[in-house]
Amino acid sequence: MTLVLGIESSCDETAAALVDGERHIVAQRIASQDEEHAPFGGVVPEIAARAHAERLAPMIEAVLADAGVSLGDLDAIAATAGPGLIGGVMVGLVSAKALAMAGDVPLIAVNHLEGHALSPRLADGGLGFPYALLLVSGGHCQILRVDGVGQYRRLATTIDDALGEAFDKTAKILGLGFPGGPAVERIAKEGEAGAVPLPRPMIGSGEPHFSFAGLKSAVLRAHESGKYETADIAASFQQAAIDCVVDRLRIALERMGDCETLVVAGGVAANASVRAALEDVAARHDMRFTAPPPKLCTDNAAMIAWAGIERLGLENFAPDPLDISAQPRWPLDPEAEPVRGAGVKA
Ligand code: KG4
Ligand code: ZN
């Protein structure tokens, strides 16, 4: 049976996993760097790269040992090659290249976003193409139509902050610590979603793009006014963000053409309120809804190994050359038009 080693090191999660062709996560290890970055309130690239370099090699060894396999048993080594923090990406990719060379195993350079985009198929064997995908992470906020492995059409992106970034910035403003998403979700449960009037940027716009910078500024003003409870601000922020997502999806789904399934992936997909709202959207559009379990939503190596397995299954599969470069920017849909107001994010 096909067996692929996946390596992930593009942000602040060091991870290695073995996944087989029948969707079993045979072994996996993951080390978060939350403690290292928490004092700075965000991910510090140099600290991240060093932590990956220290942890990755022993972690890969441990994962192979956990499964009782050696390099020669692998059908491929799949590593994130971008987009992400370049220092960390290079640590993972160089390790993968060295192992591929030493073990004479094919190398697969995986787009981290493709890892997220295909992760729902690792969790749900019944999910076929095409599907409508909301990809919401710390660096990205996109709506895509997924027609197959390597076939992505981007219908929407953010013109400023990503959704996860908006959660993280809200957490920082409210003094909830880092990482912000889970902290905002936790405290929002104790708050009243209608308590604080907050804007819903882009709602009503004919284009399905996102914007969260104005919402973040409004959160800051609400906090500084001293008029509101922290839990109420968190709950109101979460609701405003969800309202934006629901409205933007409505426009994108109208344009997307027939898709039976609505899928969410990326770190913010771990949020239960976001998942519940999307389930409603799917029901209203007569679509099935699926989301990977929360542990497969946030960064992990199983999704990278799975993307490798998907690539191996392509008729025209070819391993990547050992001199392939890490790519700090790597859009899933290179043909998507740039959006007015968009920053440098891919
Ligand atoms: O996919 P991911 O692990 O890393 C990137 O590729 O960016 O996503 C991380 C993002 C962070 O912004 C984090 O705050 C957010 O996902 N996140 C959440 C939750 N868990 C993680 N946002 C809202 N609610 C959550 N439960
Ligand atoms: Zn990610």
Side-chain angles (χ1 to χ4, degrees):
M1 178 170 341
T2 311
L3 186 67
V4 171
L5 169 68
I7 296 172
E8 163 59 34
S9 60
S10 68
C11 192
D12 58 343
E13 241 67 66
T14 312
L18 284 164
V19 175
D20 74 18
E22 287 193 341
R23 295 181 160 79
H24 297 124
I25 300 173
V26 179
Q28 75 168 324
R29 296 211 177 196
I30 183 159
S32 126
Q33 302 172 6
D34 289 352
E35 269 176 36
E36 280 89 339
H37 300 293
F40 305 95
V43 179
V44 182
E46 289 75 15
I47 294 177
R50 201 174 329 127
H52 289 306
E54 282 166 8
R55 292 169 188 181
L56 191 55
M59 182 180 277
I60 292 170
E61 233 176 303
V63 162
L64 293 173
D66 288 347
V69 300
S70 58
L71 281 183
D73 298 317
L74 301 176
D75 292 283
I77 298 174
T80 295
L85 301 174
I86 191 71
V89 173
M90 283 172 65
V91 169
L93 187 58
V94 166
S95 308
K97 287 178 180 179
L99 292 173
M101 198 185 275
D104 196 18
V105 182
L107 171 75
I108 304 180
V110 173
N111 183 322
H112 178 83
L113 298 173
E114 182 165 55
H116 280 301
L118 297 173
S119 65
R121 281 168 51 84
L122 168 57
D124 178 351
L127 175 61
F129 300 114
Y131 53 86
L133 172 70
L134 174 70
L135 202 172
V136 275
S137 67
H140 299 272
C141 185
Q142 304 186 354
I143 302 172
L144 301 133
R145 179 181 157 107
V146 182
D147 278 299
V149 178
Q151 297 174 47
Y152 310 97
R153 184 154 71 89
R154 195 195 78 192
L155 287 103
T157 186
T158 177
I159 65 169
D160 41 54
D161 294 349
L163 183 53
E165 201 176 350
F167 270 89
D168 292 335
K169 287 177 174 171
T170 293
K172 203 169 181 179
I173 291 167
L174 298 179
L176 300 176
F178 174 84
V184 170
E185 178 176 21
R186 216 173 304 120
I187 194 164
K189 290 198 179 94
E190 293 153 31
E192 179 59 57
V196 185
L198 292 174
R200 270 85 173 138
M202 305 297 274
I203 281 202
S205 158
E207 294 291 325
H209 299 302
F210 297 91
S211 167
F212 292 108
L215 177 55
K216 174 204 65 190
S217 307
V219 164
L220 179 62
R221 284 194 299 273
H223 173 67
E224 286 178 345
S225 76
K227 286 200 294 193
Y228 305 105
E229 297 287 331
T230 298
D232 286 341
I233 300 177
S236 301
F237 159 78
Q238 186 170 274
Q239 189 57 53
I242 287 172
D243 290 349
C244 294
V245 168
V246 169
D247 179 75
R248 310 292 62 217
L249 260 177
R250 183 176 57 82
I251 306 287
L253 290 176
E254 273 168 19
R255 295 181 175 193
M256 195 172 290
D258 270 352
C259 281
E260 274 178 22
T261 314
L262 174 64
V263 175
V264 65
V268 185
N271 183 293
S273 302
V274 170
R275 292 162 86 100
L278 295 174
E279 212 167 340
D280 285 350
V281 171
R284 280 204 296 280
H285 284 82
D286 276 331
M287 296 169 87
R288 189 166 81 82
F289 173 70
T290 186
K295 279 201 175 135
L296 267 185
C297 292
T298 46
D299 285 349
N300 65 88
M303 72 181 189
I304 304 302
W306 175 252
I309 289 178
E310 295 264 33
R311 288 263 297 279
L312 274 175
L314 292 175
E315 219 166 276
N316 59 355
F317 170 77
D320 286 305
L322 289 177
D323 63 354
I324 193 166
S325 308
Q327 304 194 49
R329 295 184 60 201
W330 188 358
L332 269 185
D333 176 3
E335 317 231 296
E337 282 180 24
V339 184
R340 206 154 54 104
V344 293
K345 285 162 196 153

